Amino acid sequence: MKQLLWTEDGKYLIGAGANTVRLWNLAGGMRTAIPPSPSVFSASPQHSSQIVGLAFRGRDLCVQTEDQWYDRNGQPISRSVSTTRYALPMLKVLEIIGQPAEAGQEAPCFVPHTEP
């Protein structure tokens, strides 16, 4: 999934690839963040994480990810969804909300936002 968003004030462009978020400003600077993965099955030999959505909540950026863990035979063990909330423009992690996932479920992005 690839997605681009402009901040409401038009000063920053935010882009998401498979597992990386980038923030560009009009002066030419760039910041990068990789949303952390929950350690549900830390002993699992195989794990994949993918960004599935970007949204603004006030002045904060919510990055939704989907994580999948596999056993040694490549069979799925577990799936979870999470939202990492970042303060802009520093991409400072403010909060991580993770939960086991059910079919079609997305991580919530209804957390309180930072003060202006």
Side-chain angles (χ1 to χ4, degrees):
M1 179 245 178
K2 295 182 181 178
Q3 187 173 353
L4 292 172
L5 293 175
W6 282 98
T7 57
E8 189 175 299
D9 61 9
K11 292 182 180 180
Y12 301 96
L13 177 64
I14 300 165
N19 64 358
T20 304
V21 176
R22 289 189 174 88
L23 179 138
W24 293 273
N25 67 35
L26 295 178
M30 181 185 73
R31 295 189 185 277
T32 302
I34 298 173
S37 296
S39 57
V40 174
F41 289 95
S42 58
S44 175
Q46 297 178 343
H47 168 256
S48 67
S49 182
Q50 180 175 353
I51 295 173
V52 295
L54 296 176
F56 289 113
R57 174 68 177 158
R59 294 181 53 172
D60 299 341
L61 174 68
C62 291
V63 179
Q64 298 173 332
T65 57
E66 180 178 299
D67 291 271
Q68 181 78 48
W69 287 267
Y70 304 91
D71 65 17
R72 295 187 189 281
N73 298 319
Q75 297 300 311
I77 297 172
S78 181
R79 180 176 158 263
S80 71
V81 291
S82 61
T83 295
T84 304
R85 185 169 57 99
Y86 294 94
L88 297 177
M90 300 304 291
L91 284 182
K92 176 185 172 191
V93 175
L94 298 172
E95 184 173 27
I96 301 168
I97 300 172
Q99 59 194 26
E102 297 179 13
Q105 181 182 13
E106 293 184 0
C109 194
F110 54 82
V111 292
H113 62 275
T114 57
E115 295 301 317

